[in-house]
């Protein structure tokens, strides 16, 4: 049973790294540099392309996150839950719902708005940015609560 726990921890942490790390990498490190170096239209096109690829990785990470935490919380911990387990479960569900909303609803709308130079692009972008930041914070909370479990 110990080896299963190690494997689950690997998958849980790896998927959280994608959720947390990508927010830092894309939002805080890459985007400012790209928009500083390239013309605004070229930078925006590049970021749209980057986020299209990122969505695929985020999708995989969130599925792994859901599966690994579900197995851990239901099978390994046998639903003997305290506050840390409840926080972790709610955080994982929240990250998953928001990420799937980003991937399957908001990102296609952003890509369409960008392609059509629609007026709502900025509003959609701001919503996406807020959700990414919120997912980042929830990811940190899940990470911390995972170590308490």
């Amino acid at each position: 049973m110990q080896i299963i726990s190690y494997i689950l921890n690997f998958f849980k942490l790896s998927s959280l790294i994608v959720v947390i790390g990508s927010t830092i990498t894309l939002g805080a490190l890459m985007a400012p540099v790209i928009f500083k170096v390239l013309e605004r239209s070229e930078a925006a096109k590049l970021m749209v392309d980057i986020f299209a690829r990122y969505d695929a990785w985020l999708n995989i990470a969130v599925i792994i996150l859901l599966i690994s935490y579900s197995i851990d919380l239901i099978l390994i911990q046998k639903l003997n839950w305290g506050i840390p387990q409840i926080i972790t479960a709610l955080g994982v569900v929240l990250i998953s719902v928001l990420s799937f909303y980003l991937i399957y609803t908001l990102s296609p709308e952003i890509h369409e708005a960008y392609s059509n130079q629609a007026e709502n692009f900025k509003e959609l972008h701001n919503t996406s940015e807020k959700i990414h930041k919120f997912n980042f914070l929830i990811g940190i909370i899940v990470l911390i609560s995972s170590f308490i479990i």
Side-chain angles (χ1 to χ4, degrees):
M1 197 60 133
Q2 188 73 20
I3 190 80
I4 293 172
S5 183
Y6 287 134
I7 292 169
L8 285 174
N9 283 337
F10 170 78
F11 284 113
K12 290 183 326 187
L13 293 176
S14 297
S15 57
L16 278 174
I17 286 169
V18 171
V19 172
I20 296 169
S22 60
T23 303
I24 295 169
T25 304
L26 294 175
L29 300 176
M30 284 180 58
V33 172
I34 288 172
F35 279 93
K36 187 175 183 179
V37 172
L38 298 175
E39 289 183 29
R40 185 154 185 81
S41 62
E42 291 177 23
K45 170 73 171 117
L46 180 59
M47 289 306 293
V48 165
D49 291 344
I50 288 171
F51 272 98
R53 290 179 183 216
Y54 163 71
D55 285 347
W57 283 103
L58 181 62
N59 192 38
I60 293 167
V62 170
I63 290 169
I64 291 170
L65 184 77
L66 269 172
I67 292 170
S68 58
Y69 271 98
S70 296
I71 291 170
D72 184 42
L73 290 171
I74 295 170
L75 297 179
I76 306 298
Q77 297 187 35
K78 300 185 183 3
L79 298 176
N80 295 325
W81 290 13
I83 298 295
Q85 289 86 354
I86 293 170
I87 290 171
T88 299
L90 290 174
V92 168
V93 168
L94 196 55
I95 288 170
S96 302
V97 168
L98 290 174
S99 294
F100 289 142
Y101 173 72
L102 278 169
I103 294 165
Y104 295 109
T105 303
L106 199 56
S107 285
E109 289 179 15
I110 290 172
H111 293 180
E112 184 178 331
Y114 174 76
S115 298
N116 299 331
Q117 296 181 350
E119 291 181 18
N120 66 338
F121 174 78
K122 187 170 184 167
E123 179 184 330
L124 292 169
H125 176 269
N126 288 339
T127 302
S128 172
E129 193 175 299
K130 289 175 186 172
I131 292 173
H132 280 287
K133 288 176 182 176
F134 189 69
N135 261 358
F136 171 80
L137 292 174
I138 298 299
I140 296 292
I141 291 169
V142 169
L143 184 63
I144 291 168
S145 68
S146 294
F147 285 107
I148 295 172
I149 296 177

